[in-house]
Amino acid sequence: MAELYSVPKLEDYSPAAMDAAVRDLLNALEQEAAKLSGENDWKAFRDRWMSRKSGVLMQITEWLKLAPKEQKRDVGQRVNEVKAKIEAAVDAAEARVNSQASSARLVSERVDVSLPGNRRPLGVKHPVLRVQDEIVAVFKAMGYSIGEGPEVESDYYNFESLNFPPNHPARDTQDTLFIAGQEKKQQRDRLLMRTHTSPVQIRTMEKQRPPVRIVIPGKVHRNDALDATHSPVFHQVEGLCVDTNITFSDLKGTLDHAFKSLFGSSVKTRFYPSFFPFTEPSADMQVSCIFCGGKGCRTCKFSGWIELLGCGMVDPNVFEFVKGNGYDPAKVSGFAFGMGVERIAILKYGVDEIAKFYLGDVRFLEQFA
């Protein structure tokens, strides 16, 4: 191994002697820098030449201290020039070593760009949300906008403003999930998990003057035991249409068109009387069985019909809560409807239990990919 450069002690400080000493130093600096092959070598090189205790740079300052007085200026200039060149050589060596390391890393980690990339498998929309979106799309095509509201509602919006009297069975804790710690509040201010998306109808009418045409998709909660056809959490799509001269015929025509769009033009619809506190008159709507074409099968219990939703004309008492915003029951009328998304998804995909939609079984969900 070649002997490392050591700073000589000068006795002659003439220009010629200084030129020779500086030339030897810079040659040694260049040779040592050229032999560096890694970060550890560079660190040792840096410390040997620039260490504040015993580095070459500190040692050549002795030249200036020992130089005769009349030559100190010339020697000082040369020392400063050497110092600048040493610092530049150390910086250049660092850049070269880093570049070599990066090149080596790129070679070892080289990517074959001709190979196909790693594709992350994409998920698909949940079947319930897919059906919900299909329903919403049908009504959007008819000019309806989408309404949204909170899942944690007050008793006022969930019941009172929808014409539910205080003794209505839906207020019973067996049906409704109430938020704890509400006993000190007035009944209309108590919070609960909304049991239907109908509160969005009132909230919309409070903000928007008629005419109104909205469709309201969303999650709802009820204190129901999980079985083949019931779940404590499920989805609804409701609709509201309010304008002048809206009649029951408009309601029937709208829903008939919507379900023909969903299930095909051969589907028939029929309505029969029912009761809901917020509509008067009220009706349940059935569609002809999409499995047997109305002939009768196990799915439709051999009746040829399947019940899908409730609907009716908005009760004038509901309009009274928003009368100040242009909903005078003497001047406007409207209809409302609501359907369970899971129920339609069960029919559409032939699923026998609602719980299968929520178990997260990939084998089941993959069928809808």
Side-chain angles (χ1 to χ4, degrees), residues 36-195:
L36 302 180
S37 59
E39 184 178 3
N40 291 335
D41 288 350
W42 172 80
K43 288 181 178 178
F45 170 74
R46 176 198 61 190
D47 293 343
R48 205 179 94 73
W49 285 86
M50 298 184 63
S51 172
R52 293 186 177 182
K53 291 185 177 180
S54 58
V56 172
L57 195 57
M58 285 296 298
Q59 293 179 41
I60 64 174
T61 58
E62 295 295 322
W63 292 353
L64 181 59
K65 292 179 181 179
L66 299 176
K69 186 176 180 180
E70 64 275 9
Q71 293 177 314
K72 281 185 180 294
R73 180 176 181 181
D74 179 60
V75 173
Q77 289 178 347
R78 292 177 182 272
V79 169
N80 288 335
E81 291 173 0
V82 170
K83 178 181 178 183
K85 290 183 178 180
I86 291 175
E87 291 175 347
V90 170
D91 290 341
E94 180 184 22
R96 179 169 53 81
V97 168
N98 289 340
S99 177
Q100 291 173 347
S102 298
S103 299
R105 188 163 53 251
L106 287 174
V107 171
S108 63
E109 300 176 357
R110 183 172 57 189
V111 177
D112 187 349
V113 295
S114 65
L115 291 174
N118 296 323
R119 294 190 176 185
R120 179 179 295 178
L122 298 177
V124 296
K125 190 173 293 185
H126 192 279
V128 171
L129 297 182
R130 181 184 296 178
V131 171
Q132 177 176 283
D133 290 348
E134 290 176 3
I135 297 170
V136 170
V138 168
F139 287 97
K140 284 182 68 177
M142 290 191 282
Y144 283 65
S145 58
I146 298 176
E148 295 180 337
E151 290 182 34
V152 178
E153 268 294 4
S154 67
D155 184 281
Y156 172 79
Y157 285 109
N158 197 79
F159 291 129
E160 183 179 338
S161 62
L162 293 171
N163 199 37
F164 281 81
N167 60 348
H168 192 277
R171 289 177 172 271
D172 194 284
T173 55
Q174 297 302 311
D175 298 323
T176 306
L177 296 169
F178 290 92
I179 306 299
Q182 305 287 303
E183 294 79 8
K184 295 182 179 180
K185 294 183 179 180
Q186 294 184 7
Q187 182 169 347
R188 64 180 346 199
D189 296 327
R190 294 178 184 177
L191 301 179
L192 49 85
M193 303 302 294
R194 68 180 181 187
T195 58

Side-chain angles (χ1 to χ4, degrees), residues 258-318:
F259 281 90
K260 280 180 166 58
S261 299
L262 286 171
F263 294 120
S265 58
S266 62
V267 167
K268 298 178 181 178
T269 58
R270 74 177 186 181
F271 299 77
Y272 59 94
S274 185
F275 170 77
F276 303 105
F278 39 85
T279 54
E280 179 61 37
S282 303
D284 286 324
M285 192 199 80
Q286 296 180 333
V287 297
S288 55
C289 182
I290 60 175
F291 300 101
C292 65
K295 297 178 181 179
C297 64
R298 291 183 61 184
T299 302
C300 63
K301 299 179 181 179
F302 301 97
S303 67
W305 296 91
I306 299 175
E307 182 179 328
L308 283 187
L309 59 81
C311 59
M313 303 301 293
V314 178
D315 193 303
N317 290 337
V318 174

Side-chain angles (χ1 to χ4, degrees), residues 136 139-148 204 208 211-217 238-240:
V136 170
F139 287 97
K140 284 182 68 177
M142 290 191 282
Y144 283 65
S145 58
I146 298 176
E148 295 180 337
T204 300
Q208 180 179 337
V212 168
R213 286 174 177 81
I214 58 168
V215 60
I216 311 160
E238 295 194 15
L240 173 69

Side-chain angles (χ1 to χ4, degrees), residues 1-4 35:
M1 183 176 179
E3 186 176 351
L4 295 177
K35 295 177 181 178

Side-chain angles (χ1 to χ4, degrees), residues 132 150-151 194 196-197 217-221 233-236:
Q132 177 176 283
E151 290 182 34
R194 68 180 181 187
H196 45 191
T197 56
K219 187 185 299 180
V220 298
H221 308 258
V233 179
F234 57 101
H235 296 76
Q236 280 188 341

